[in-house]
Amino acid sequence: MIRVLVATDEPLIGAGIRRALESHSDIVVVAEAETGPAAVDAATRHDADVLLIDVTVAVLDGLNAIEQLRRRLPALRVVVLTSVGGEPDGLGAVAGDVAGFVPKSCGPDELIRAVRAAHDDTRGGRP
């Protein structure tokens, strides 16, 4: 089972992500967060394999949340939701700390592939 934490401050986007992820029997959303601090807190309280985080999540942006989580939970795999395809500008500092980038405009299949690829990276032993 792939345990996913979803962090986005857009409720409709979050609901769609949850629905897409949980339509697959091997994926479960263990928690959702609407702010960067809530994502950090939820990640420390829930045993998630993958964090799916919007780079523009409110209060503490996704970049700072990723940096905090890298120190606290180095085994957590991160997939970043972006408004553009590929690595967005400004992510250079954390680019090596994330398992992938997914545009918000992607379809459910691309999202599922990204989450599974991040999880497979976990099995690969990358600390």
Side-chain angles (χ1 to χ4, degrees):
M1 184 68 61
I2 302 172
R3 298 170 52 86
V4 180
L5 165 61
V6 177
T8 179
D9 56 359
E10 299 177 61
L12 186 58
I13 299 289
I17 290 170
R18 176 184 276 277
R19 183 172 298 199
L21 293 175
E22 291 189 338
S23 70
H24 295 266
S25 61
D26 63 327
I27 299 173
V28 63
V29 175
V30 295
E32 294 180 66
E34 292 186 0
T35 68
V40 172
D41 180 59
T44 59
R45 288 186 296 113
H46 297 277
D47 187 26
D49 301 308
V50 177
L51 167 63
L52 185 59
I53 188 167
D54 187 338
V55 73
T56 61
V57 72
V59 182
L60 172 70
D61 68 37
L63 301 179
N64 289 314
I66 292 166
E67 288 176 5
Q68 286 187 21
L69 287 167
R70 275 296 131 237
R71 291 190 297 272
R72 295 179 188 185
L73 302 168
L76 180 67
R77 295 299 171 255
V78 178
V79 176
V80 178
L81 287 167
T82 70
S83 296
V84 297
E87 180 184 326
D89 292 337
L91 275 179
V94 297
D97 292 332
V98 301
F101 300 92
V102 178
K104 291 180 188 178
S105 61
C106 78
D109 291 341
E110 186 176 348
L111 178 67
I112 299 303
R113 278 193 300 274
V115 167
R116 286 185 175 144
H119 183 256
D120 289 346
D121 185 38
T122 300
R123 291 188 202 158
R126 186 181 134 210

